[in-house]
Amino acid sequence: RPVSRTTVYQMGSISKTLTAWAVMRLVERGAIQLDAPVQQYLPQWTIPPSKFAPSGVTVRRLLSHTAGINVPASLGISLGLRIPSLQDVMNGVVPNFADQKVEIIAPPGSEFRYSGGGYEMLQMVVETASGKRFDDFIRAEILEPLGMHASSYAWNDSLAAHVAVPYKEDGKGSYPYFNYPGSGAAGLYSNIDDMTAFLLAQCSRPGHPAGAGVISSETLTRMMRPDSVALQYGIGYEIVPINGLPRPGHAGSNPGWKSNYLLIPERGFGIIVMTNIDGGRARTEVLKLMRSMIG
C-alpha cells in the first residue's frame, strides 16, 4: 500500500517523550513532586524489597533512567488476546508474556540504566495523580491540545484503517499488531502529520512559544537538559551529541518498527523518520542525512 500522510506507525520508545510531557504537566499543576519518592504515587503497587532503599526511586530519576530499575523493554501483546493488567506485568506473573518483575537492581541515582519498567511506573503515577486512565489523560491533556488527533496510546478501530504493515528484516514476513500494557513506555501509534505537530510544539517560533501551552517553555528547556548522572538523557529526551552540541530527540524500536527524531529548538525545526521494517537500514541512511543537515 502506498504511504500517505495519514499512514500510522508504531512509535516504540518515542512514546516516553510524550509520557514525560504528561508527568511534567502534572508537576506544573502541583499534583506531582519531581523529587518525591515515587512509591507515594503508587498505592496500587509496591516496589519489591531489595538491598536498595525504595525512597531513592524518585519521579525525576525514573524520567531520566537513573532510578536503578530493571526491565529495559516493555512488551506488547497481540491483538485479540486479553490485555493483562499493568500490575501483573510488573509483578512478572503473566504466563508466556513477561516473567521478569520490575524491581531495583542498582543504587538509585548512581548510574544511567535504560528502563521501560521505570516508565511503566510513571504510567501508574499519571493515573494516580490525575485520577484518570493513562490513555484518557494523555489524549485529553497532551495529544488533543497539540493537534495530534490521529494518535493513540491504545489500539482502536480508527488506527486499523491506516496502519502500515510491520515487516520482518527480510521484507517478506510480517509481525502482528500489538497492544502495550505499559503503553507509557512503548504504546504510541501516530502518523507523520501528528509527529510533525509534536516536533513543532517543541520549538520556539514567532507567536508560538515552545511547549505550545501544554507545558511551559521553561519546563521544556529543563527537560532537554542532560541529567547530571545520565549525560545522554534528560527528562524524557535522549541527548545526542552532534558536532559537539547536545541535541534532544528520541529513538523508537518495536518489532517491525524503527523511528527517530532530532530537534534543533533554537532554529525552530526538527527531523523525524518513521519506518515499518526491522533492521532499520532505511532509518540508518536517513539518520546520516539528518546529522548532516543538523550539523
Side-chain angles (χ1 to χ4, degrees):
R1 290 176 297 173
V3 168
S4 74
R5 300 182 72 88
T6 61
T7 299
V8 169
Y9 295 78
Q10 213 290 320
M11 304 307 298
S13 285
I14 289 175
S15 310
K16 292 181 174 69
T17 306
L18 286 110
T19 296
W21 273 53
V23 172
M24 296 307 290
R25 186 162 171 84
L26 289 164
V27 168
E28 289 188 336
R29 289 180 180 173
I32 294 173
Q33 300 298 314
L34 270 180
D35 294 309
V38 75
Q39 186 62 70
Q40 73 181 52
Y41 302 112
L42 301 174
Q44 70 277 55
W45 184 80
T46 301
I47 298 173
S50 73
K51 62 182 179 180
F52 306 109
S55 59
V57 180
T58 65
V59 175
R60 187 191 302 272
R61 286 172 174 167
L62 290 175
L63 286 163
S64 62
H65 299 285
T66 60
I69 302 297
N70 64 342
V71 186
S74 295
L75 302 181
I77 190 163
S78 298
L79 300 186
L81 298 180
R82 184 185 70 84
I83 304 174
S85 72
L86 185 54
Q87 289 93 324
D88 283 348
V89 170
M90 293 171 66
N91 287 330
V93 297
V94 181
N96 304 316
F97 179 69
D99 58 3
Q100 187 178 18
K101 66 182 179 180
V102 174
E103 57 187 340
I104 313 171
I105 61 171
S110 65
E111 62 184 13
F112 175 79
R113 182 180 291 273
Y114 191 84
S115 176
Y119 270 73
E120 291 173 354
M121 294 167 70
L122 290 169
Q123 179 178 333
M124 286 186 173
V125 168
V126 169
E127 292 188 334
T128 299
S130 69
K132 298 179 180 178
R133 285 172 41 88
F134 178 79
D135 300 340
D136 294 337
F137 179 84
I138 203 163
R139 173 177 294 281
E141 301 282 344
I142 307 296
L143 300 179
E144 290 293 338
L146 293 177
M148 301 177 68
H149 306 301
S151 300
S152 178
Y153 272 75
W155 182 268
N156 57 53
D157 291 341
S158 65
L159 295 176
H162 299 286
V163 69
V165 175
Y167 287 100
K168 297 184 178 180
E169 189 168 4
D170 60 9
K172 298 175 182 178
S174 62
Y175 292 97
Y177 300 116
F178 293 106
N179 271 307
Y180 289 84
S183 60
L188 177 64
Y189 285 89
S190 190
N191 65 22
I192 195 67
D193 278 346
D194 280 18
M195 291 306 298
T196 297
F198 182 52
L199 264 62
L200 289 174
Q202 298 168 79
C203 300
S204 179
R205 297 169 292 138
H208 299 276
V214 174
I215 57 176
S216 70
S217 57
E218 293 79 12
T219 290
L220 187 57
T221 297
R222 179 169 38 156
M223 293 171 70
M224 294 179 178
R225 189 179 301 137
D227 181 84
S228 59
V229 173
L231 298 180
Q232 66 270 59
Y233 212 91
I235 293 178
Y237 286 88
E238 293 175 341
I239 310 300
V240 182
I242 299 178
N243 292 339
L245 295 174
R247 298 303 188 187
H250 217 290
S253 179
N254 275 335
W257 308 100
K258 297 287 182 288
S259 298
N260 276 83
Y261 78 89
L262 286 170
L263 293 163
I264 311 297
E266 73 276 12
R267 290 165 60 185
F269 76 88
I271 306 173
I272 185 161
V273 54
M274 299 146 70
T275 67
N276 58 317
I277 190 167
D278 263 353
R281 283 179 295 175
R283 180 178 71 157
T284 299
E285 292 305 311
V286 175
L287 279 171
K288 291 178 183 177
L289 176 62
M290 290 165 66
R291 287 174 177 269
S292 68
M293 291 174 67
I294 289 171

